[in-house]
Amino acid sequence: MDTQTDQSQLFIQLLVGSGIVSREELADFKTIARDLKMPLIQAIMSSGSLERSAMDLAGEALSRIGSRQVSLDMAIRALRIAVQQNIKFAEALNKVRSVHRTTRVFVSAANELTNILVDAEVISREQLGPILVKSNEYASMVGQVMVLENVISVQGLTSALTAVLMVRSGGLSRDNAVKGLGYACKQSVTLEQALFELGTFVQPDARDVRIGELFQMARVITAEDYAECLEIELFKSKDFEAVLEERGLASAAHLEAAANLLSSISGAVLTPAQASRALFRICRQGQNLYEAVTEARSAGAGGAHPRLGEILVAAGLVDVAQVERVMSSGTSSSVRLGSALLTAGLISESHLYAALRLQSCLKQGFITSDGVVDVLSHMAAMKGTLDQALLELNIYLPSRMQWSWV
């Protein structure tokens, strides 16, 4: 990095990549910088919202990158650990190096990810060139560089990686993957929603919960962390668990607990929602597995799932009389009831689809009845979308589990 602008950009990438500054905070800082006509770095430094110690650690990381002691990727990982564990950057760097598992897999600059993004017209070949140069310069995965450079959103990257994963597993043809990805990025929706709307979505097994999904549901990792780890898993042939540990996102003990919880889900001992609550207690509150599972099962105990009409009434989207009037015509299934309510002008399309998506997750154990009502009520009160409501309430529900409308 030769210019001051490059240094500032690199410093921001360190702050965002390590989690010191979230993308939402970065957007706020950009607004402040624009309104006050000051450099973005100055807006961040003068905000007073960031710990001085974290900024000092980021400064040291930047210095080491400049002197070519570490790559951007290694610096981000060490910075993340240094902030989380309140230790010196050098100590964190040693931890990263000690846990790092080398691989002989060579990651080609242009690979399945970049090819599918170009074919889906999400990025152009002209955009790709500079990204590949920076990926090599930073020693970082190309997808992560695209996110850091704001060429693609985190959701767009996750959709592209999911498309690669589904094509590799044989669950989706490449042609449908390209069409779905292009539609998803154009409409700013997930790949699964795009495939559903295009009629090419394949229903997943509700008990087939991925470890990355469990960690996201437990709010232990972010969507950006998930995309970062998934890209490494796909293109460096490493287990997702190993990547989580290497990048300082989970300890060996946390991974062992997660494996037990996943087994409990597949054996129908725990619902995904209960397992995620247990993992949160283990990772964030220091509980042991037995205590966490016992409390999660107790808190998640409940009776039969409410029907769609009951959910809509509880969320205040329709009243009892309206539902009873529609049901008196013989309508019973969720989809038929929803269609009848929509035709009668008693509910909006966005609220109906949101309720059906949430009901899918409810039936599969990814959310509780109370959780469904809370999300729908928040969505209605804020006059936003379901995805916005989930984001504002800090709730993660795997997109692939939201489309089993039965």
Side-chain angles (χ1 to χ4, degrees):
M1 298 294 163
D2 298 324
T3 69
Q4 186 174 357
T5 300
D6 290 335
Q7 287 284 307
S8 297
Q9 185 180 31
L10 197 55
F11 191 61
I12 291 168
Q13 291 173 342
L14 280 168
L15 294 176
V16 174
S18 64
I20 294 175
V21 173
S22 69
R23 292 202 169 271
E24 291 75 18
E25 290 172 327
L26 181 62
D28 290 339
F29 289 138
K30 286 181 177 179
T31 299
I32 293 171
R34 184 186 65 245
D35 292 344
L36 299 182
K37 295 181 174 56
M38 65 169 61
L40 178 56
I41 289 295
Q42 185 180 344
I44 294 174
M45 298 290 285
S46 60
S47 69
S49 61
L50 303 178
E51 294 286 342
R52 183 70 223 180
S53 57
M55 298 298 286
D56 289 343
L57 287 168
E60 182 177 353
L62 181 65
S63 176
R64 286 177 180 255
I65 293 172
S67 60
R68 299 189 180 278
Q69 296 179 46
V70 294
S71 66
L72 173 63
D73 180 68
M74 186 73 76
I76 287 175
R77 292 161 57 188
L79 185 55
R80 180 184 291 150
I81 291 175
V83 172
Q84 289 175 349
Q85 301 182 13
N86 193 27
I87 59 178
K88 294 181 179 180
F89 183 82
E91 184 180 351
L93 192 57
N94 287 335
K95 287 193 173 191
V96 169
R97 286 169 172 159
S98 67
V99 78
H100 181 67
R101 295 173 174 82
T102 58
T103 176
R104 295 181 179 179
V105 177
F106 173 74
V107 182
S108 173
N111 54 31
E112 292 165 275
L113 174 63
T114 57
N115 290 340
I116 201 168
L117 285 168
V118 170
D119 290 347
E121 299 183 352
V122 177
I123 61 172
S124 66
R125 294 201 177 278
E126 289 72 25
Q127 286 178 297
L128 183 59
I131 292 298
L132 295 178
V133 171
K134 290 190 175 182
S135 175
N136 181 66
E137 179 183 347
Y138 296 160
S140 297
M141 302 297 288
V142 66
Q144 291 308 303
V145 174
M146 284 192 283
V147 170
L148 289 171
E149 296 288 327
N150 294 312
V151 173
I152 191 172
S153 68
V154 175
Q155 179 175 277
L157 174 60
T158 301
S159 290
L161 293 169
T162 301
V164 171
L165 179 63
M166 294 178 73
V167 170
R168 283 190 185 182
S169 67
L172 187 67
S173 71
R174 194 177 187 283
D175 284 346
N176 285 337
V178 169
K179 292 175 184 175
L181 180 59
Y183 182 93
C185 291
K186 185 176 181 179
Q187 300 296 325
S188 296
V189 298
T190 64
L191 175 68
E192 293 86 356
Q193 180 172 345
L195 295 175
F196 181 87
E197 294 182 8
L198 292 172
T200 53
F201 180 69
V202 178
Q203 301 290 350
D205 182 347
R207 295 183 185 179
D208 179 28
V209 181
R210 299 167 184 161
I211 190 165
E213 292 172 336
L214 182 60
F215 271 92
Q216 269 192 276
M217 287 178 64
R219 305 190 305 279
V220 176
I221 66 172
T222 65
E224 192 160 359
D225 295 332
Y226 176 78
E228 177 184 331
C229 294
L230 181 57
E231 184 178 7
I232 294 171
E233 177 190 32
L234 288 174
F235 295 103
K236 288 197 172 182
S237 299
K238 295 186 177 185
D239 291 336
F240 197 94
E241 297 91 326
V243 180
L244 282 173
E245 186 178 4
E246 284 183 8
R247 308 194 81 73
L249 296 168
S251 67
H254 294 159
L255 293 170
E256 182 179 356
N260 280 299
L261 292 170
L262 288 173
S263 295
S264 295
I265 294 172
S266 62
V269 176
L270 292 174
T271 66
Q274 290 172 331
S276 68
R277 283 194 291 271
L279 186 60
F280 175 83
R281 289 186 169 97
I282 292 166
C283 296
R284 292 291 183 255
Q285 299 176 354
Q287 288 189 348
N288 62 46
L289 180 63
Y290 177 78
E291 291 173 335
V293 168
T294 300
E295 291 188 20
R297 291 187 70 180
S298 175
H305 294 149
R307 297 180 179 180
L308 178 65
E310 295 170 325
I311 290 172
L312 296 175
V313 170
L317 299 179
V318 295
D319 60 44
V320 176
Q322 291 172 327
V323 173
E324 290 179 346
R325 187 164 62 251
V326 170
M327 292 186 69
S328 66
S329 63
T331 300
S332 57
S333 73
S334 294
V335 173
R336 287 183 177 179
L337 172 61
S339 178
L341 289 169
L342 189 62
T343 300
L346 300 174
I347 190 172
S348 70
E349 186 176 279
S350 62
H351 286 160
L352 173 59
Y353 288 168
L356 289 169
R357 288 169 61 183
L358 290 169
Q359 189 182 38
S360 293
C361 291
L362 172 63
K363 289 181 177 180
Q364 299 174 92
F366 285 85
I367 191 171
T368 64
S369 301
D370 289 343
V372 170
V373 172
D374 289 343
V375 173
L376 284 175
S377 299
H378 182 85
M379 176 185 170
M382 302 306 294
K383 295 180 171 46
T385 66
L386 173 58
D387 292 325
Q388 288 170 338
L390 292 171
L391 185 64
E392 290 167 3
L393 294 173
N394 196 23
I395 296 173
Y396 169 74
L397 298 174
S399 179
R400 66 196 184 102
M401 300 298 179
Q402 296 180 29
W403 307 99
S404 301
W405 295 358
V406 294

